[in-house]
Amino acid sequence: PVVAGGAGAVTSGILEWLSTAEKGRAMAKQVNLAKDSRVLLISTEGDTSPERVRDIVGYGKNSDQGR
């Protein structure tokens, strides 16, 4: 399993898209990315606290709900 926040996990999402979506496979072919290619994915964001995320996006202590 990969433990990462949303922004940190984007690299694995892009790799998935490159290997499964029609447009992604076409783009992968343009850069010579093949099934036997080795890819290094770097994530600089760790696991995200669900409570902190709710506070930041407004569903926690900064929410208008209950005011």
Side-chain angles (χ1 to χ4, degrees):
V2 176
V3 179
V10 71
T11 54
S12 59
I14 291 171
L15 185 59
E16 172 75 14
W17 179 79
L18 287 168
S19 63
T20 59
E22 185 177 340
K23 287 184 180 181
R25 288 191 307 268
M27 186 176 289
K29 187 174 181 178
Q30 289 177 348
V31 296
N32 295 320
L33 183 63
K35 288 183 178 184
D36 61 345
S37 296
R38 293 182 183 199
V39 179
L40 174 65
L41 303 177
I42 298 175
S43 171
T44 59
E45 179 184 14
D47 193 11
T48 307
S49 163
E51 295 83 15
R52 186 70 179 130
V53 170
R54 280 193 297 272
D55 289 344
I56 292 169
V57 298
Y59 296 109
K61 67 181 181 181
N62 298 318
S63 175
D64 288 336
Q65 296 174 346
R67 289 188 185 173

